[in-house]
Amino acid sequence: MDDSDTTVPKQGFLEFDFVEGKSMPVRDIAVSDQQIATVLSALEAQPEGKPRLQFLRILAKERMFTTTQISEIIRCFDQPQKISALATIWGSIWDQENLIRVCKQLLSATGAQKLKDLLGPWYDFNRKNCTGHYSLDLENEFSHALIRKLQQVSSENRMRRVDQGQLDISQKGNHEGWRNETLDGEAITILSTDDWAVPGAGVLEFDFVSFARPPAEAVPTRAPEFDTYYKQVTSIKMGNNFGDANAGAPEMLAMLRWTATEYFFSSKQICTIMNLVAQEHPARCDVLVVLWSRLVDEENAWAVLENLIPEQRAEVYKRIGYLSLFNPLRPDGWYKLDLSVREENVVATILVALAIKEPGQNVRGDQTFNGEIFVPPKAWLAGMPTCLLYTSDAADEEDSVDLGGRRIIKKKKIRDEEGCEGGYEENKRSMRQSYEIKKE
């Protein structure tokens, strides 16, 4: 909406849809060290017990606190209520990366476990690294808090991408980060607008992907720093496996989720971390999911995918998204696509277009449709949707093919550059551009 003149006319009919923009918290709403004394006085002025907790709950909805203020806040509560007070402000801590460490210092081991049990998945939630799989008991009030926070993330992503005219790479064509949602096993669609209300009961299960990407100037962590970080990850993994090479993965993944926000990684570095987990272990998928928002060379994500067995690769496509992971410059691989799912239909359209327009035979072996041998007709290209291209320049006649008045870039073999191993372009990062295939 144009904000050049906010004066509303005195007459006329105004008609439009208004959607609330849920947004993530900003530093300005955090309580300062100078303000905390006033907050504590207001807390202590409330009757002990539930009224004081309720007042803290109201404060936590409007303001953010820092971990240095936690000990002062919980001193306002009797011992039995300290854990409840901590749980109440859990999602309202600005420096969230320090939260678990500080709480473990303030609570006994038993108390820390009680807090973790009370919060459920909210305990491990990191708003700065929230791509992952969630299974939430909706009778737990903190599950609702987690959903509200994800709605803020998805809403911000959606508004930014729409405003910038970026490609819709969501699963359902609504610019939302929710994927594969079910309520008690039945498929549903979650929205970040008021058109969807959180159910009061049941088990809500879904994948969530944040579309926020590293800034264009981001570069992978330098080798010495990565080596140090890798040793820390290895120590956590090995310190919890108790002699079983497949164990220790949950602890390692928790560390990655909380610490990776301080780093950026190349595809090669993610493969190195992934290889700490046995080849058949499902946690290999989780490594990529947790580190996806920190990957700077998306054009080389194929290398990470090739580091997975086919079943794991399919799982990652399902959880992160076909349009997020698919690279038209390197589309080679085995596909099983459900054409009723929008994003998989788009990928199928691109592959069919490449197969028809490129010289030679692109498909090896039999291609099937609903289990029967099938050759896709050119008519499938009618109404070809917007596609995701990896290129630094607009496609021209030499490096693209004409698809009924639209252009899509041809496959290109990734060359090894000086200083790059095995096709990893760590020093020369291509800029990712999402744009509509333009009509000539």
Side-chain angles (χ1 to χ4, degrees):
M1 184 172 286
D2 183 8
D3 59 359
S4 58
D5 184 2
T6 57
T7 303
V8 178
K10 298 296 184 181
Q11 59 184 1
F13 293 94
L14 182 63
E15 185 175 355
F16 57 88
D17 285 326
F18 185 88
V19 179
E20 178 188 6
K22 298 180 175 66
S23 59
M24 293 292 284
V26 294
R27 186 66 175 88
D28 290 345
I29 67 171
V31 174
S32 68
D33 291 338
Q34 292 73 32
Q35 296 170 326
I36 190 63
T38 303
V39 172
L40 296 175
S41 296
L43 263 179
E44 292 172 340
Q46 306 303 313
E48 294 183 3
K50 289 185 179 181
R52 189 171 293 185
L53 272 176
Q54 182 60 28
F55 185 76
L56 181 61
R57 183 172 290 107
I58 294 172
L59 286 175
K61 288 182 178 180
E62 301 295 332
R63 305 302 298 267
M64 301 286 288
F65 304 97
T66 65
T67 50
T68 58
Q69 299 165 350
I70 291 178
S71 60
E72 298 176 87
I73 292 173
I74 65 173
R75 272 201 294 266
C76 297
F77 295 87
D78 294 336
Q79 189 63 36
Q81 291 187 323
K82 291 186 184 297
I83 291 177
S84 296
L86 264 174
T88 298
I89 62 173
W90 193 260
S92 301
I93 301 299
W94 178 255
D95 53 330
Q96 194 182 19
E97 63 276 7
N98 301 318
L99 183 53
I100 292 179
R101 174 181 57 80
V102 169
C103 285
K104 287 182 176 179
Q105 294 173 351
L106 295 174
L107 300 174
S108 65
T110 302
Q113 186 60 49
K114 285 182 178 179
L115 177 66
K116 186 173 183 178
D117 293 341
L118 176 63
L119 292 171
W122 190 223
Y123 179 84
D124 288 313
F125 179 78
N126 184 347
R127 63 177 179 269
K128 297 180 182 178
N129 188 7
C130 54
T131 296
H133 182 79
Y134 297 86
S135 182
L136 305 177
D137 177 3
L138 295 179
E139 293 186 3
N140 184 331
E141 64 174 301
F142 300 107
S143 292
H144 292 247
L146 193 156
I147 293 169
R148 287 194 296 271
K149 194 65 69 176
L150 287 177
Q151 285 181 314
Q152 292 176 355
V153 176
S154 188
S155 180
E156 279 200 351
N157 285 340
R158 183 185 70 250
M159 290 189 293
R160 181 177 63 250
R161 295 184 69 84
V162 170
D163 289 345
Q164 296 176 359
Q166 294 181 327
L167 175 71
D168 184 357
I169 57 175
S170 65
Q171 186 179 50
K172 300 178 177 67
N174 56 10
H175 286 282
E176 295 272 8
W178 317 91
R179 304 178 54 81
N180 314 309
E181 311 101 288
T182 63
L183 177 62
D184 292 335
E186 297 292 329
I188 65 168
T189 297
I190 300 177
L191 298 173
S192 299
T193 66
D194 292 335
D195 294 330
W196 181 79
V198 182
V203 176
L204 185 65
E205 192 164 359
F206 57 89
D207 293 294
F208 185 88
V209 59
S210 171
F211 298 135
R213 303 304 305 152
E217 66 273 12
V219 295
T221 301
R222 295 173 60 85
E225 296 174 9
F226 176 76
D227 290 344
T228 299
Y229 183 70
Y230 177 75
K231 290 177 181 177
Q232 294 171 351
V233 176
T234 302
S235 176
I236 293 293
K237 169 71 168 61
M238 299 306 167
N240 290 278
N241 67 16
F242 305 109
D244 180 358
N246 284 328
E251 292 79 9
M252 181 187 79
L253 292 170
M255 177 195 176
L256 291 176
R257 184 169 296 282
W258 283 100
T259 60
T261 52
E262 303 299 318
Y263 304 87
F264 291 110
F265 301 98
S266 68
S267 297
K268 185 177 181 180
Q269 290 171 335
I270 290 181
C271 285
T272 300
I273 295 174
M274 182 182 289
N275 289 337
L276 285 171
V277 183
Q279 183 70 43
E280 304 290 330
H281 200 288
R284 290 173 71 88
C285 299
D286 294 314
V287 171
L288 177 55
V289 170
V290 170
L291 299 181
W292 171 246
S293 64
R294 314 306 295 174
L295 173 66
V296 296
D297 58 333
E298 286 181 66
E299 64 274 19
N300 294 323
W302 59 267
V304 186
L305 294 173
E306 288 186 355
N307 203 37
L308 300 169
I309 61 177
E311 293 80 6
Q312 294 169 341
R313 201 174 305 143
E315 179 69 11
V316 166
Y317 270 112
K318 177 182 177 183
R319 293 174 62 181
I320 295 179
Y322 277 83
L323 291 177
S324 291
L325 290 169
F326 179 71
N327 183 352
L329 298 186
R330 196 181 176 92
D332 302 36
W334 179 83
Y335 294 87
K336 183 177 182 180
L337 301 171
D338 181 351
L339 301 185
S340 67
V341 179
R342 169 190 169 271
E343 61 176 352
E344 297 182 44
N345 193 292
V346 173
V347 170
T349 302
I350 298 172
L351 292 172
V352 170
L354 290 172
I356 291 175
K357 292 295 181 177
E358 283 193 339
Q361 182 64 31
N362 294 77
V363 178
R364 292 176 294 183
D366 294 332
Q367 51 190 319
T368 65
F369 181 59
N370 291 334
E372 298 183 1
I373 303 298
F374 179 75
V375 177
K378 292 185 179 181
W380 277 21
L381 294 179
M384 182 177 175
T386 299
C387 298
L388 179 67
L389 305 183
Y390 286 83
T391 178
S392 57
D393 301 295
D396 55 29
E397 292 186 1
E398 184 176 348
D399 67 2
S400 65
V401 290
D402 180 8
L403 302 176
R406 299 177 174 89
R407 288 203 171 276
I408 184 170
I409 197 157
K410 289 181 181 178
K411 287 189 296 182
K412 288 183 179 179
K413 185 176 181 181
I414 296 179
R415 298 191 306 256
D416 292 350
E417 303 285 352
E418 183 178 355
C420 301
E421 300 179 7
Y424 294 98
E425 299 183 26
E426 294 182 338
N427 300 322
K428 295 186 177 181
R429 179 173 173 233
S430 300
M431 180 177 292
R432 170 180 174 175
Q433 293 183 347
S434 304
Y435 57 87
E436 226 173 33
I437 299 175
K438 299 178 180 178
K439 290 187 177 181
E440 296 184 317

